[in-house]
Amino acid sequence: MEQKPPSAENIWLSISLADYEAHMSLPEVGQAQALARELGRLLLEFKPASVALVGCAGGNGLGEVDPAVTSRVVALDINPSFVAAADKRHGRRFATFEPVVCDVASDGEVPFKPVSLVFAGLLLEYVQPEKLLRFALESLERGGILACVVQLPCESLPEVTPSPFSSLEVLAPHISLVSPEAVVGRAEALGFSHISSRLNTMPNGKELLTLVFRK
Ligand SMILES: C[S@@+](CC[C@H](N)C(=O)[O-])C[C@H]1O[C@@H](n2cnc3c(N)ncnc32)[C@H](O)[C@@H]1O
């Protein structure tokens, strides 16, 4: 397994994957299902030969990847136990599966060869957009696709939805919602072309926006 130590203490290193996944798939939260669906749509639209799931957690969405179309998968996360879970669950389905432990906010070379599509679902809430966009730029082939799913502000709901999984409350001080316009502006300044945006409303009313760019 490729290993790059995190540059700084990151709250995600203390999160239990079981609690995170149980929270994200609660019927009223529904974000695990929405993120997997969104990846599935992008795969059908772009038919990438290779994909990097950046901030992969336990590999949510990888069940949507058809190995006959996408033979190479990179599953990357800062938390080694998340990457190990993604590898255990999905590694054997693909001709090439690259589990990568890496902090995308740390400067340095991208530790895998370029891919055709990068998917970053709900990562911009925890990583500075500039850092993630630069990482994605280096991760993509020319003409490759970057899709970022971001959570939109909602006045009536807290940023981390309350749930029985109270261990996740430690995330609340670390989440920082980003303005989609600012992400598009920064991405375009780096040379990406913004090709589409798609809004998804969760069962509890939260809204997720998928921003799609071409390098
Ligand atoms: C909100 S979760 C989204 C997970 C996943 N996309 C999903 O479908 O559930 C954010 C993920 O990004 C990872 N992460 C947070 N900061 C990171 C960083 N700097 N570098 C790499 N991964 C990071 C976390 O460990 C976590 O798995």
Side-chain angles (χ1 to χ4, degrees), residues 89-202:
R89 293 168 178 173
H90 299 280
R92 278 171 301 280
R93 286 185 54 232
F94 300 95
T96 308
F97 188 86
E98 300 169 34
V100 176
V101 178
C102 164
D103 178 355
V104 299
S106 71
D107 298 319
E109 275 183 26
V110 168
F112 54 88
K113 294 209 174 68
V115 294
S116 329
L117 188 146
V118 167
F119 183 77
L122 299 179
L123 184 54
L124 279 168
E125 289 69 19
Y126 298 96
V127 173
Q128 280 178 20
E130 181 74 22
K131 298 267 187 190
L132 179 58
L133 291 168
R134 283 187 183 278
F135 186 90
L137 196 64
E138 296 304 312
S139 307
L140 280 168
E141 299 162 351
R142 187 187 294 266
I145 298 295
L146 165 65
C148 301
V149 182
V150 299
Q151 179 181 324
L152 299 185
C154 173
E155 282 188 3
S156 58
L157 291 167
E159 290 170 355
V160 177
T161 306
S163 86
F165 303 99
S166 53
S167 68
L168 301 179
E169 284 166 10
V170 296
L171 288 172
H174 297 268
I175 187 168
S176 150
L177 301 193
V178 291
S179 136
E181 294 76 20
V183 175
V184 170
R186 214 36 232 142
E188 289 181 337
L190 288 172
F192 282 106
S193 310
H194 177 216
I195 53 179
S196 65
S197 297
R198 184 164 41 227
L199 188 67
N200 284 294
T201 304
M202 302 300 101

